[in-house]
């Protein structure tokens, strides 16, 4: 915005220099016309011309041209000044709007950064919870493995004990069968007597 205003100011300065140069050239031209008229008056002095009237007329024309040029220049500068004021006002409005947008964007950035920090903290908590759960799970798995090994060992021992008991039971049943046979034999013998 400042660069645009500086460019406009430089353009106005160039235009002002141009108008000053044009004004100087017009002044020199009029002065040369006046001097030529004066020379003509001097040359025609024998004819008894109204030199004062001619000079007054030329001066009046010169003043009229100068006043008209001055009025045109002032009107032009006034219009340019008003245009620049309007442009500056628009630039100020745009600048204010951009500043408001920047403030809103900064607020949004701060809010997003806060959200990011919250998410990071939650992620750290979740990672810690996952690590703890993994450690607890691993400990529980090791404990379960140890218990399973103990149960398998107890099962194996129970199988061995059952096999021994089954063997003893078989021996007892064989002994019982032998005793039953002996008892039956003694009964027959007793009955035979």
């Amino acid at each position: 915005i400042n660069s645009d205003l500086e460019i406009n100011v430089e353009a106005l300065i160039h235009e002002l220099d141009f108008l000053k140069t044009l004004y100087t050239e017009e002044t020199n031209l009029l002065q040369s016309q006046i001097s030529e008229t004066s020379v003509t008056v001097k040359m025609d002095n024998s004819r008894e011309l109204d030199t004062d009237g001619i000079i007054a007329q030329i001066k009046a024309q010169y003043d009229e041209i100068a006043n008209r040029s001055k009025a045109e220049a002032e009107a032009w500068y006034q219009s340019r000044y008003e245009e620049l004021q309007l442009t500056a006002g628009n630039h100020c409005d745009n600048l204010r709007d951009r500043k408001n947008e920047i403030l809103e964007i900064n607020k949004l950035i701060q809010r997003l950064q806060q959200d990011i920090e919250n998410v990071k903290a939650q992620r750290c908590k979740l990672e810690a919870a996952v690590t703890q759960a993994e450690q607890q799970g691993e400990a529980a798995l090791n404990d379960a493995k140890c218990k399973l090994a103990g149960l398998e060992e107890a099962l194996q021992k129970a199988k061995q004990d059952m096999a021994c008991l089954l063997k003893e039971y078989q021996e007892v049943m064989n002994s019982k069968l032998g005793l039953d046979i002996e008892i039956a034999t003694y009964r027959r013998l007793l009955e035979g007597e």
Side-chain angles (χ1 to χ4, degrees):
I1 295 171
N2 289 334
S3 62
D4 292 339
L5 291 176
E6 289 175 359
I7 291 171
N8 289 334
V9 169
E10 289 180 4
L12 288 176
I13 290 172
H14 288 304
E15 290 178 10
L16 181 61
D17 292 338
F18 173 74
L19 289 175
K20 283 181 180 178
T21 305
L22 182 63
Y23 178 77
T24 304
E25 289 178 0
E26 287 181 359
T27 304
N28 292 335
L29 180 62
L30 288 174
Q31 285 178 349
S32 66
Q33 288 177 357
I34 291 171
S35 63
E36 287 175 4
T37 305
S38 298
V39 170
T40 303
V41 170
K42 287 178 182 177
M43 288 176 62
D44 295 338
N45 203 12
S46 60
R47 298 181 185 175
E48 297 180 355
L49 294 174
D50 185 11
T51 57
D52 292 335
I54 293 172
I55 291 172
Q57 184 180 2
I58 291 172
K59 187 172 186 267
Q61 290 176 356
Y62 169 75
D63 290 340
E64 182 183 353
I65 292 170
N67 289 332
R68 190 170 60 245
S69 298
K70 182 179 178 183
E72 289 175 356
E74 287 178 353
W76 184 82
Y77 278 114
Q78 184 64 29
S79 66
R80 289 294 293 162
Y81 178 72
E82 291 174 357
E83 288 176 6
L84 286 176
Q85 277 187 327
L86 181 62
T87 304
N90 292 334
H91 286 314
C92 288
D93 293 340
N94 291 334
L95 181 62
R96 186 175 58 253
D97 293 341
R98 297 297 88 77
K99 283 182 178 178
N100 290 334
E101 288 178 4
I102 290 171
L103 286 175
E104 291 299 323
I105 290 172
N106 285 335
K107 288 179 182 177
L108 178 62
I109 289 171
Q110 289 176 354
R111 204 162 46 244
L112 291 175
Q113 286 177 340
Q114 187 64 37
D115 292 343
I116 289 170
E117 292 300 323
N118 292 337
V119 170
K120 284 182 179 178
Q122 290 178 356
R123 189 192 69 184
C124 290
K125 289 179 181 178
L126 289 174
E127 287 177 350
V130 168
T131 302
Q132 184 178 1
E134 287 176 351
Q135 291 174 351
Q136 290 176 351
E138 189 174 350
L141 182 62
N142 291 333
D143 186 45
K145 285 180 180 179
C146 291
K147 287 180 179 178
L148 180 62
L151 289 173
E152 287 177 349
E153 186 178 348
L155 179 62
Q156 190 66 30
K157 188 173 183 300
K159 284 180 179 179
Q160 291 174 354
D161 291 343
M162 184 174 275
C164 291
L165 287 174
L166 193 58
K167 185 177 179 183
E168 290 177 2
Y169 176 75
Q170 192 67 35
E171 290 176 355
V172 168
M173 289 300 290
N174 290 336
S175 298
K176 179 180 179 286
L177 184 60
L179 290 174
D180 286 342
I181 292 171
E182 285 182 20
I183 290 170
T185 303
Y186 288 132
R187 276 188 189 159
R188 279 196 303 268
L189 290 174
L190 287 174
E191 288 174 359
E193 293 176 356

